[in-house]
Amino acid sequence: MEAKPPRRTRERILEVSLRLFNEIGEPNVTTTTIAEEMKISPGNLYYHFRNKDDIINSIFAQFEQEIERRLRLPDDHKPTLDEVWTYLQYMSEFLWRFRFLYRDLNDLLARNRTLETHFKQIVGHKKRFAREMCDMLVADGEMDITPEQIDIVTTNMVVLSTYWLSYQFVMNPRKYNDPAEIGAGLHQASYHILSQMAPYLKGRSRELYDKLAHESSQGAR
């Protein structure tokens, strides 16, 4: 009986595919492209994955597991606004690692039923997380906002976080793979996301936001 190829080959296929999807766009990558990049036969690749969508779904499963873990407020304390800011910066680095999912999102959802269903759930998790932040600030007297306004604010926060990379691609298509250029833009996204809450902040949270806004404007110069 022939021994199975080492599991490492499967992991390498996912690593190389993710890099290619990120660098040249998922629609421009075929299984042949991946096999040639790895210097393996197409048959070897198909041993591990039936087709390109199978590879995409496996990468997405990693992304989904990680983002669901991150979309949770800490259990041991109530985070302050500057902690939320740090958290958003941390999330931006994570999104950079899986940026093809956001840049090519509409195309992926149009033809991949698994992503269509699961990404909608992720958007729901993002909105729940944003609402929990608002509810926490309201409960602490740090935010003056109605439930209806919270719905609008959290929707805007989710739209910004989901489509910011598409905006960056439109603005700088030739620099999309420049970590310094796009990384800086992703950090700015944190400020724009948080700014949706700004008109309703009070007390210490408003002071923290003003401080973060000043630092962000200085860094953007």
Side-chain angles (χ1 to χ4, degrees):
M1 181 177 179
E2 184 178 349
K4 290 185 177 180
R7 185 172 180 271
R8 178 61 182 159
T9 302
R10 177 184 173 86
E11 295 170 355
R12 284 181 55 235
I13 291 171
L14 294 177
E15 290 168 3
V16 170
S17 298
L18 178 59
R19 176 172 59 79
L20 291 173
F21 293 158
N22 281 336
E23 290 179 356
I24 63 177
E26 179 274 332
N28 301 314
V29 178
T30 66
T31 51
T32 301
T33 309
I34 298 165
E36 288 177 350
E37 182 73 11
M38 294 187 62
K39 296 181 171 54
I40 63 173
S41 69
N44 194 349
L45 187 146
Y46 290 130
Y47 178 89
H48 297 278
F49 298 98
R50 298 185 304 275
N51 48 44
K52 190 172 76 167
D53 273 354
D54 196 15
I55 296 173
I56 292 169
N57 290 343
S58 296
I59 292 173
F60 182 79
Q62 297 175 353
F63 166 81
E64 184 177 34
Q65 182 179 20
E66 181 66 14
I67 199 169
E68 288 182 355
R69 183 182 69 80
R70 290 167 181 254
L71 288 173
R72 292 189 179 93
L73 291 173
D75 296 325
D76 57 346
H77 70 285
K78 291 183 178 181
T80 58
L81 202 72
D82 51 349
E83 286 182 273
V84 173
W85 168 266
T86 301
Y87 170 82
L88 289 172
Q89 300 279 300
Y90 172 62
M91 279 291 287
S92 71
E93 295 169 7
F94 168 70
L95 296 183
W96 168 259
R97 183 154 59 94
F98 291 95
R99 61 192 180 277
F100 87 93
L101 287 170
Y102 286 87
R103 183 182 66 181
D104 304 321
L105 181 60
N106 290 349
D107 183 66
L108 286 165
L109 298 187
R111 60 179 174 77
N112 188 310
R113 180 63 177 168
T114 298
L115 264 64
E116 177 191 347
T117 303
H118 287 247
F119 209 93
K120 187 181 295 185
Q121 293 172 354
I122 287 174
V123 168
H125 293 325
K126 287 182 177 181
K127 188 163 183 178
R128 170 194 49 77
F129 179 79
R131 177 173 284 278
E132 286 176 356
M133 286 196 296
C134 291
D135 289 343
M136 176 191 69
L137 290 167
V138 169
D140 289 345
E142 297 282 292
M143 197 174 190
D144 186 8
I145 188 171
T146 67
E148 293 77 18
Q149 289 169 329
I150 286 179
D151 188 63
I152 293 169
V153 166
T154 54
T155 297
N156 289 343
M157 292 172 76
V158 170
V159 170
L160 275 168
S161 65
T162 303
Y163 286 99
W164 184 266
L165 277 170
S166 295
Y167 165 74
Q168 284 193 264
F169 181 68
V170 169
M171 298 304 293
N172 294 292
R174 289 182 174 80
K175 294 185 177 180
Y176 192 75
N177 289 310
D178 182 338
E181 184 78 21
I182 303 303
L186 276 170
H187 285 302
Q188 280 296 307
S190 301
Y191 167 67
H192 288 282
I193 292 167
L194 209 58
S195 71
Q196 300 303 302
M197 302 166 64
Y200 310 96
L201 295 175
K202 299 164 52 182
R204 175 65 175 154
S205 290
R206 181 68 210 197
E207 292 174 7
L208 285 170
Y209 174 82
D210 288 342
K211 179 175 179 289
L212 292 169
H214 175 71
E215 292 173 352
S216 179
S217 66
Q218 293 296 314
R221 291 179 182 175

